[in-house]
Amino acid sequence: MSKFFGGRSDSESSSDSESSSDEEVQVQQKKPQRLTAAAILFSDDEGDDKRVVRSAKEKRYEALYTLIKQIRNSKKIKDFNKMLTTYEELLKAFDKAKPVIAKEEGGVTPRFFLRILVEMEDLINETWEDSVGRKNMSKVNGKSLGALRQKLRKYLRENHDDDIAKFRENPEAEDDDAEEVVEEDASGDEEGDGFRAKSEEKEIAPRKVKKASPDGEDEDSDDWMSENETDSSSDEELITTSVYTRDMFLKKAVDPEKEAKKIEKKEEKSKEREMRKKEREQIKAADGDSEDEGGDGWEVVDRTATKVAMFAKDAEITNDLVIKKLAEIMAARGKKKTNRKEQIELLTELANIGQEHELGPGIHMKIKFAIIAALFDYNPKLSDAMKPDSWEKCMKGVDELLDLLEEQGENITSGEHILEESEQLDEPPYKIRGCFLTSVERLDEEFVKVLKGCDAHSNEYVDRLKDEPKVVEILEKADKLVQKSGSASEVCRVYLKRIEHVYFKFDPEVLDQKAGKLEAGKETSQDVMDKFCKYIYSKDSTDRLRTRAILCHIYHHAIHDSWYAARDLMLMSHLQDSVHHSDPVTQILYNRTMVQLGLCGFRHAAIKDAHNALLDIQLGGRSKELIAQGLLPQRQHERILRSSEQEKIEKARQMPFHMHINLELLECVYLVSAMLIEIPYLSAHEYDARRRMISKSYYQQLRSSERQALVGPPESMREHVVAASKAMRNGDWRKARDFIINEKMNGKVWDLFYDADSVRAMLSRKIQEESLRTYLFTYSNVYDSISIPILAELFELEVNNVHALVSKMIINEELMASMDQPSQCVVMHRSEPSRLQSIALQLSDKVSQLVENNERLLEQRGQGGWQNRGWEN
C-alpha cells in the first residue's frame, strides 16, 4: 500500500482506541507527530464536519444575519465607529443579495433588513438629540456618528423611504422571510447553519406566547425526534480517525429511505404552517376569545392594562355603584401601564350611563372633573402640546362644566378645600371636590402650547388661532361664576388671564377715543384694561399678579401711543429695580414691555428715552432670546452653558408667533436712535481722550464697515444706517435722510408702524436738527460768526427752530459762542483748542497718568515715593 493510503483501517483504529487508549496517549507524548502540509490541509476537524449544500438565498441571508448581529453588538455599547464599518459591509452584502431577493421575494425588501435600519435610525436620532452625551464622546466616535447619520439618511431617502414608512406603521409584525429560511434550514439539517439563522430570527422577531395544544402535548415533539434521528444518523456516517483515510475522499452513498422521510417531514411541516396561518386568520376575523378555540396558533401579548369591565347587564345602576366604578377607574390614573385613551373612553361612557339613569348633576359634575383631568393627563410629557382632537374635547368639556355650574347656581359648591369624605353628590346642596378655575387656567396654558406646537406659517396655526374667541368666552363664563362666589384672589386670577388675551392687541378704537371720534359710552380695550388692572392693584395680595398686571398695562399704553402714561407708570412702579428677582416668564414680559416702550418713545421723538429703553435688550445681540422669540445657536465652546434640559425649558417659555415683535424693526429703531445721539457726540468730543462709548453695538457696525476694502451701495438695513451715519458726519443731511427713508427701508421697517407717514416726517426732522448740531460742532472753529437765517436755509429749518437749537447748545455749554440778536448771528468765542493743542493736552494727560500709576506701584511694594529712596547718601 502506498504511503499516502498508509493509515490504519477503521476496525483496527476502533478496537485499538477501545483497548489501549492509555498506551496511545503515552506514545503520543513521547513521539509527537510531525505536521505536514497535507495533514494541516486535511485535518480531523474538517473530516468530521458534514458537508452541506445550501441555496444562494441561505448563503446571502446568512451573511446579512451575521452583519446584523455585529451591528446589534455595536449598538449595545454605542460603538459608532465599528457600526459604521459594519453598516458599509451590510450594504455591500445586501447589494449582492438583491438578485436573490428579486427572484425569491419578488423584489420586496425583507423585514429583518428594514428592522435593523429602523433600529439604527432611532438610536442615531436619540444620540444626536442628546447634545451633552454627544459632547462627551471620543473624537473618533463622534465623527463616525456624524458620518453614519448622513449616510443612513441618504440611503433611506433614496432607496427605502416608502418601505420604512410602511414598516413603522406595523413594526411588531413577524419577519416572514427570516422564519421561512430558518424552517427550511432546520428541516434540511438541524446541525447546520440553520441554527445561526434561527437564533438571528429569535432576535429579530417580536416576543410571543405560545398556546398549548388541546391534548397537552407539545407540538414540537416531532421536531425533537427529527433532531435525534439526524444526530444518530450523522454519528453513524461520521467516523473519527486520528489520520485521514481514503474513505474521506469517496462519495458517500445516499439512503433513499432517509431522503424520502426528510421530504415527508418537510411536507408535513409546510402543511402545519398553513394550518396555523389559517387558524390565526380565523381568530383575527372572529375576534373572539382565544381560550375557547383550542388552536395551535400564536397569541401576541397585550402589554397595556386590561380594560376595566363596565357594569353587568342585570346590575342596578345606583349612585354608590357609579361612584365605586369612578374610583376604580381613577385608581389607575398615573400608573405606568394605564391606557390613557381607554381611561377617557371609560369615563365618557360612565358619564353617559349616569345621564341615562338620571343620577343627578352632582354625579355628572364629579365625572366631568375626572374627564377633564384625564384629558390634561393624556400627554405623558408636560412640554408636549395636545393633539387637535384632545384639545377640542378638553375645550368642550370645560365649557360644559361651566354651563352646568351656571345652571345649578347656588345648589353646587365646588373647590379644592372640600375633602372627598365630605362630598355630597346625592341631593342638593351638592358639594364636589374640584376647582373649575384651575381647569380654566390649565386650558389657557394648553392653548398656548397648542399654538406653539403648530407650524407658525401653516393653515393649521390659523385654524387653532380661531379657537381664541372660544377660550375668551370660557374665561368670561368663569369670571361670572367667580364674581358670584369667589374670593378676591380668585377674581384677580381670572382678571389676569383675561388681561393676557387683550394687552398685546392693537385697537384702533382707542386712538379714535383719544381723538374724540368715538361715540360716547362705547367700551374700548383701554377701558377694559383700566378696570381689570386697577382691581388687581388694589386687591391682589401677591406681588407676581400685580407686577404682571402693571407690565401688561404699560404694554397696552405703549402700543396705543400713550407715551407719557406708559412712561410714568413704569417710573412709578420701580420695576426696573426688582424685576431681576422675578420668575423668568415675568422677566420676559418686562423685556417685551421695555421694547414697546422704546418704540413708543421713538414715535414721539423721545430719541434718548427710546435708546435707553432698547439699550439693554440690544446690547449683547441676544434680543431674540430676551423677548422669547427663539434660541440662538450655540457655539462649540458655549454648549456647556446650556444643557439639553435647559434648552427644553427655554423652548417651553417661547412666545406664540402671533405675539412676536419684528426684530429687524427693533434693531433699526435702536441703530437710528444711536446714530442721532452718537454722531453729534463724536463731533463734539473728537479729540477727547476720555470720550465714552454710548452704544457698543452701533460702534461695532461702524468698525465693520471701516474694515471693508470696497464699500458698495448699501443693501441691508444695517448698511443703510452706517451710510447715513457717514453722510451725517460730513453734514450732508439730505444724503443721510435718503439713506434712512427710501422705498427699501419703507418696505422693511417704516411701513410696519401704524401711522407711518408721521414717523417718517418726525425722523426727517430729527435728522435735520442733529445734522445742524453736528455741523456746528465740526466747523465752529473755522467761523468767527454764523448767520442764523443762512443756517436755516442750509438745513431747511425754520429760523425760530435754529435759534432755539443754538441757544440750547450755548446754555448747555456745548458751544462756546454768544447770540447777537440784532444781526441774528452766532459769534464764536474761539475758546476751543486747535488740533495741535488738543494732541498736546492728550499727551500731557497720558504722561501724568503714567506718573501716577508708577507712584502707586512703588507704594504697593512698600518702597515709598522717590523722595524716600535716600539717593543723597
Side-chain angles (χ1 to χ4, degrees):
M1 189 177 292
S2 66
K3 187 178 180 181
F4 184 74
F5 297 109
R8 292 179 296 171
S9 65
D10 298 340
S11 59
E12 288 174 2
S13 62
S14 60
S15 60
D16 290 345
S17 61
E18 290 174 2
S19 60
S20 57
S21 58
D22 296 336
E23 291 177 8
E24 284 180 3
V25 170
Q26 291 173 2
V27 170
Q28 284 174 3
Q29 287 175 353
K30 289 177 184 177
K31 295 182 180 180
Q33 293 179 353
R34 288 182 63 187
L35 292 174
T36 60
I40 293 169
L41 187 62
F42 304 107
S43 63
D44 291 341
D45 294 338
E46 290 186 3
D48 290 346
D49 289 341
K50 183 178 177 182
R51 290 188 298 166
V52 180
V53 178
R54 291 181 297 162
S55 64
K57 181 179 178 180
E58 293 168 17
K59 288 179 183 176
R60 297 300 181 201
Y61 275 32
E62 188 194 354
L64 293 174
Y65 292 144
T66 309
L67 293 169
I68 287 170
K69 193 169 184 181
Q70 289 177 16
I71 288 173
R72 284 211 171 89
N73 291 339
S74 304
K75 182 181 154 189
K76 287 174 186 174
I77 59 173
K78 291 194 175 181
D79 185 357
F80 291 104
N81 189 26
K82 174 72 174 166
M83 195 185 288
L84 176 61
T85 312
T86 317
Y87 168 71
E88 289 169 351
E89 292 176 7
L90 181 67
L91 293 189
K92 288 176 186 176
F94 184 72
D95 287 338
K96 289 179 182 177
K98 273 183 181 177
V100 176
I101 293 168
K103 183 180 176 183
E104 300 285 341
E105 311 292 344
V108 179
T109 309
R111 281 184 67 84
F112 67 86
F113 182 72
L114 294 175
R115 189 180 296 279
I116 193 63
L117 294 180
V118 168
E119 287 177 8
M120 285 174 68
E121 187 182 20
D122 293 344
L123 175 71
I124 289 165
N125 291 339
E126 184 186 343
T127 312
W128 193 263
E129 286 172 6
D130 183 12
S131 55
V132 177
R134 192 150 46 92
K135 186 178 177 296
N136 294 331
M137 278 185 186
S138 65
K139 190 176 180 181
V140 176
N141 219 19
K143 199 173 179 182
S144 300
L145 173 63
L148 181 59
R149 179 172 177 261
Q150 195 173 1
K151 287 182 179 181
L152 183 62
R153 288 173 72 181
K154 185 180 178 184
Y155 180 72
L156 293 180
R157 188 173 60 249
E158 291 177 357
N159 299 291
H160 298 291
D161 209 356
D162 297 334
D163 295 338
I164 293 292
K166 287 177 186 176
F167 180 87
R168 285 192 182 276
E169 287 174 7
N170 187 18
E172 296 299 323
E174 299 178 26
D175 295 347
D176 295 330
D177 299 327
E179 189 178 349
E180 287 172 11
V181 173
V182 168
E183 287 178 352
E184 285 174 11
D185 286 345
S187 61
D189 178 23
E190 296 295 332
E191 292 184 351
D193 293 327
F195 277 139
R196 274 175 285 182
K198 205 165 194 175
S199 65
E200 194 65 46
E201 189 268 338
K202 283 179 186 175
E203 289 183 5
I204 294 168
R207 281 189 269 176
K208 298 176 182 178
V209 176
K210 196 152 190 192
K211 289 162 48 174
S213 57
D215 52 355
E217 293 180 3
D218 191 357
E219 63 181 6
D220 287 342
S221 57
D222 296 336
D223 297 341
W224 288 105
M225 288 300 293
S226 65
E227 284 181 16
N228 293 333
E229 287 173 7
T230 51
D231 289 342
S232 61
S233 63
S234 61
D235 290 340
E236 290 173 4
E237 289 173 2
L238 295 174
I239 302 166
T240 55
T241 55
S242 57
V243 293
Y244 52 86
T245 62
R246 63 183 176 181
D247 293 337
M248 292 167 60
F249 298 94
L250 297 176
K251 188 174 180 181
K252 294 177 183 177
V254 179
D255 191 352
E257 292 180 3
K258 287 182 181 179
E259 285 296 320
K261 282 181 183 178
K262 285 181 183 178
I263 293 166
E264 283 177 10
K265 283 177 185 175
K266 274 188 183 181
E267 289 174 356
E268 285 175 8
K269 285 185 179 178
S270 62
K271 285 178 184 178
E272 283 176 9
R273 280 204 304 273
E274 287 174 7
M275 289 291 289
R276 288 174 195 163
K277 283 181 182 177
K278 285 179 184 177
E279 286 173 5
R280 280 202 298 269
E281 287 170 4
Q282 287 172 2
I283 290 166
K284 284 178 185 176
D287 197 19
D289 297 332
S290 57
E291 293 177 1
D292 298 339
E293 300 177 14
D296 295 331
W298 299 88
E299 179 188 356
V300 179
V301 175
D302 183 15
R303 298 180 186 278
T304 58
T306 55
K307 186 173 181 178
V308 181
M310 272 297 168
F311 310 110
K313 291 180 182 179
D314 55 346
E316 184 183 354
I317 308 299
T318 61
N319 285 351
D320 293 336
L321 191 62
V322 172
I323 291 166
K324 188 179 177 184
K325 180 58 67 176
L326 177 63
E328 185 183 339
I329 295 168
M330 293 306 290
R333 182 185 173 194
K335 290 185 179 177
K336 193 175 181 182
K337 292 185 179 180
T338 304
N339 189 333
R340 293 181 177 88
K341 188 177 180 182
E342 186 182 292
Q343 197 176 28
I344 294 166
E345 290 170 0
L346 288 168
L347 288 167
T348 310
E349 189 182 344
L350 193 63
N352 295 335
I353 290 168
Q355 281 187 312
E356 284 172 13
H357 292 81
E358 297 179 355
L359 298 178
I363 295 284
H364 187 58
M365 187 167 291
K366 178 72 176 171
I367 298 170
K368 273 287 174 191
F369 272 120
I371 290 171
I372 291 164
L375 283 165
F376 284 136
D377 291 348
Y378 186 69
N379 276 349
K381 290 184 181 177
L382 283 173
S383 57
D384 290 349
M386 276 186 176
K387 291 179 181 176
D389 54 343
S390 300
W391 163 248
E392 295 285 349
K393 285 179 188 173
C394 191
M395 193 164 51
K396 187 180 174 185
V398 174
D399 198 15
E400 288 174 359
L401 177 68
L402 295 176
D403 288 340
L404 191 60
L405 281 164
E406 196 171 355
E407 281 173 19
Q408 296 300 318
E410 295 179 0
N411 287 339
I412 288 184
T413 308
S414 66
E416 294 292 340
H417 60 279
I418 299 170
L419 299 174
E420 288 188 3
E421 294 81 15
S422 58
E423 281 185 327
Q424 190 171 339
L425 306 173
D426 300 336
E427 54 187 17
Y430 302 106
K431 290 184 179 179
I432 301 161
R433 179 176 171 80
C435 181
F436 68 90
L437 186 55
T438 307
S439 301
V440 170
E441 287 177 333
R442 184 82 188 272
L443 182 75
D444 191 60
E445 290 169 10
E446 287 296 333
F447 175 64
V448 176
K449 280 187 197 174
V450 166
L451 285 175
K452 288 193 283 189
C454 303
D455 179 13
H457 304 285
S458 65
N459 292 329
E460 186 190 0
Y461 190 89
V462 178
D463 293 339
R464 290 278 70 85
L465 200 55
K466 287 176 184 175
D467 291 335
E468 189 178 17
K470 297 176 188 174
V471 176
V472 172
E473 190 181 341
I474 288 169
L475 285 168
E476 287 172 0
K477 286 181 183 178
D479 186 7
K480 287 178 186 175
L481 290 168
V482 169
Q483 293 287 357
K484 290 178 185 176
S485 59
S487 61
S489 63
E490 288 178 338
V491 175
C492 289
R493 283 163 62 189
V494 174
Y495 276 176
L496 185 64
K497 282 295 172 188
R498 292 189 66 183
I499 284 169
E500 286 175 355
H501 284 274
V502 175
Y503 80 96
F504 63 91
K505 293 176 182 174
F506 180 76
D507 185 6
E509 289 182 352
V510 174
L511 299 179
D512 293 341
Q513 189 182 35
K514 282 184 187 176
K517 297 176 184 177
L518 195 70
E519 60 188 41
K522 190 170 183 181
E523 193 178 42
T524 62
S525 62
Q526 187 156 357
D527 299 330
V528 174
M529 288 291 294
D530 284 341
K531 175 190 166 188
F532 291 163
C533 291
K534 284 174 182 175
Y535 184 89
I536 293 173
Y537 298 158
S538 58
K539 301 287 184 182
D540 178 50
S541 57
T542 63
D543 287 336
R544 184 178 183 274
L545 293 185
R546 191 186 296 111
T547 302
R548 289 186 68 80
I550 290 171
L551 290 171
C552 291
H553 206 178
I554 295 167
Y555 193 105
H556 193 265
H557 278 314
I559 63 174
H560 291 97
D561 276 344
S562 301
W563 159 244
Y564 294 106
R567 185 195 64 180
D568 294 345
L569 190 55
M570 176 61 81
L571 292 173
M572 284 191 296
S573 65
H574 297 286
L575 284 176
Q576 55 270 32
D577 300 329
S578 60
V579 74
H580 57 276
H581 296 300
S582 304
D583 58 298
V585 180
T586 306
Q587 289 181 23
I588 288 165
L589 180 58
Y590 173 80
N591 292 338
R592 287 166 54 78
T593 304
M594 288 303 295
V595 165
Q596 288 295 355
L597 196 61
L599 294 176
C600 182
F602 182 79
R603 290 195 296 271
H604 282 261
I607 301 298
K608 281 189 178 178
D609 291 327
H611 180 267
N612 292 335
L614 300 176
L615 182 63
D616 291 335
I617 307 296
Q618 287 291 131
L619 193 60
R622 293 174 57 233
S623 57
K624 192 176 183 181
E625 276 190 5
L626 291 173
I627 59 176
Q629 291 183 191
L631 299 177
L632 293 174
Q634 286 186 308
R635 298 183 185 88
Q636 190 69 29
H637 64 279
E638 291 176 346
R639 287 189 178 172
I640 194 168
L641 300 176
R642 188 170 71 202
S643 64
S644 58
E645 287 299 322
Q646 286 173 320
E647 199 164 323
K648 283 179 186 175
I649 293 166
E650 286 183 24
K651 279 182 181 176
R653 292 180 188 141
Q654 300 302 299
M655 302 303 294
F657 184 73
H658 69 284
M659 296 173 70
H660 280 197
I661 299 166
N662 191 305
L663 291 170
E664 192 169 18
L665 168 70
L666 171 60
E667 188 179 8
C668 180
V669 167
Y670 171 73
L671 289 176
V672 169
S673 303
M675 177 190 80
L676 294 173
I677 295 168
E678 283 279 9
I679 296 299
Y681 180 79
L682 279 171
S683 303
H685 301 85
E686 187 174 3
Y687 304 115
D688 191 353
R690 296 180 182 180
R691 185 179 67 219
R692 62 189 177 86
M693 189 186 296
I694 297 172
S695 173
K696 189 178 178 183
S697 56
Y698 176 70
Y699 266 94
Q700 286 173 350
Q701 298 299 330
L702 290 179
R703 283 172 188 161
S704 63
S705 174
E706 286 170 3
R707 286 195 206 104
Q708 291 178 359
L710 181 63
V711 180
E715 293 180 1
S716 67
M717 176 271 297
R718 293 173 180 174
E719 289 174 0
H720 275 89
V721 175
V722 169
S725 303
K726 289 178 180 176
M728 193 174 170
R729 184 79 176 81
N730 297 328
D732 192 346
W733 70 270
R734 288 184 184 84
K735 260 191 181 180
R737 182 195 62 189
D738 293 341
F739 279 128
I740 294 295
I741 301 169
N742 52 54
E743 287 184 7
K744 190 179 279 189
M745 290 291 284
N746 287 344
K748 281 185 176 181
V749 180
W750 308 124
D751 287 342
L752 300 175
F753 284 109
Y754 173 67
D755 192 2
D757 293 332
S758 63
V759 173
R760 282 191 281 264
M762 177 276 300
L763 197 54
S764 178
R765 187 171 187 79
K766 291 300 289 184
I767 289 171
Q768 286 172 290
E769 291 176 359
E770 296 303 325
S771 297
L772 170 60
R773 281 164 49 82
T774 306
Y775 183 83
L776 288 172
F777 283 136
T778 307
Y779 300 111
S780 61
N781 58 352
V782 176
Y783 289 98
D784 288 325
S785 63
I786 306 175
S787 172
I788 289 177
I790 291 173
L791 282 175
E793 186 182 346
L794 186 64
F795 288 94
E796 294 183 10
L797 289 167
E798 294 176 5
V799 174
N800 291 338
N801 289 338
V802 174
H803 190 278
L805 273 170
V806 174
S807 300
K808 196 172 182 182
M809 290 172 70
I810 292 169
I811 291 167
N812 293 335
E813 297 184 357
E814 293 175 338
L815 187 67
M816 298 302 169
S818 58
M819 293 287 292
D820 186 17
Q821 197 69 30
S823 62
Q824 287 191 326
C825 287
V826 182
V827 181
M828 301 297 170
H829 290 173
R830 292 281 183 187
S831 60
E832 290 88 357
S834 65
R835 185 170 183 181
L836 181 62
Q837 290 169 335
S838 299
I839 295 169
L841 286 170
Q842 286 182 29
L843 180 62
S844 64
D845 285 344
K846 288 180 179 177
V847 168
S848 62
Q849 193 175 357
L850 181 65
V851 170
E852 284 175 13
N853 291 341
N854 197 22
E855 288 289 327
R856 201 176 295 115
L857 187 65
L858 288 170
E859 285 172 6
Q860 286 175 359
R861 290 184 178 178
Q863 298 292 330
W866 58 272
Q867 299 92 343
N868 301 327
R869 284 184 175 273
W871 286 338
E872 294 84 357
N873 300 327

